[in-house]
Amino acid sequence: GAERLALVPVYTSPEPMKAKMAGLALSVGRGRAIYLSFGAGDLLAGPALSEGEVLAGLAPLLAGGATRKISQDMKRLQVYLLRQGLALGGDFTDTTLAAYLLDSELRDYSLAVLEETYLSPKGSPAPVPRKGGRPGGVREKTVKDLARNSERECEALLSLEQPLLKALRQAR
């Protein structure tokens, strides 16, 4: 199995106690991401799997300790999964929490800002912020856009994990 797995959930609401999951991107490495859409008719070919079917299939991976999980807001994901009767087990890296521990006065913990802070060489131009994001839900985005954005976010999470962990070790 894979050593680490990036998870980018796409919710229908910013409130984890009310949200449903519209889709989930998973990646074990650069160019190795998949976006699973839970909306009926969202997939280009064939019927979509339901949210319950996908989560039931992923339950052993999510609960197991062999694969480290990486996500941007692990607490939100954990709350959501617990509402579905699923546990998130093993080691995990929450990029938002790690960045907060490193700089609690930062106002923006988005992936674009974290990439600029922890991945861009000092003195290089800042990356152009990407449109979209997690908070607002999915109404106005196409599945193709969600898939592309989520797969990109998976790559960012995988790239950010080691620099953030290294910075946390140095900060001790």
Side-chain angles (χ1 to χ4, degrees), residues 10-11 42 131-147 149 153:
V10 177
Y11 302 102
D42 279 346
K131 291 184 180 177
R134 295 287 144 233
V138 299
R139 282 183 218 130
E140 298 165 11
K141 298 176 184 156
T142 67
V143 172
K144 258 184 167 172
D145 290 338
L146 290 170
N149 290 343
E153 289 178 24

Side-chain angles (χ1 to χ4, degrees), residues 68-143:
R68 189 172 59 259
K69 290 82 172 174
I70 307 161
S71 195
Q72 187 173 13
D73 187 350
M74 200 61 80
K75 179 180 174 184
R76 185 174 176 193
L77 179 58
Q78 287 177 317
V79 167
Y80 175 80
L81 290 173
L82 286 171
R83 282 186 42 231
Q84 308 308 311
L86 300 172
L88 191 60
D91 293 337
F92 61 85
T93 301
D94 181 331
T95 58
T96 304
L97 179 59
Y100 174 81
L101 291 171
L102 291 165
D103 185 355
S104 62
E105 297 196 13
L106 192 62
R107 294 243 184 255
D108 183 355
Y109 296 97
S110 66
L111 285 177
V113 169
L114 298 183
E115 286 178 293
E116 178 183 341
T117 304
Y118 296 98
L119 298 178
S120 294
K122 302 301 177 210
S124 67
V128 176
R130 292 180 297 282
K131 291 184 180 177
R134 295 287 144 233
V138 299
R139 282 183 218 130
E140 298 165 11
K141 298 176 184 156
T142 67
V143 172

Side-chain angles (χ1 to χ4, degrees), residues 152-168:
R152 169 67 186 93
E153 289 178 24
C154 280
E155 287 187 10
L157 290 168
L158 291 167
S159 297
L160 279 164
E161 184 190 29
Q162 289 309 312
L164 284 169
L165 292 177
K166 180 179 178 183
L168 284 169

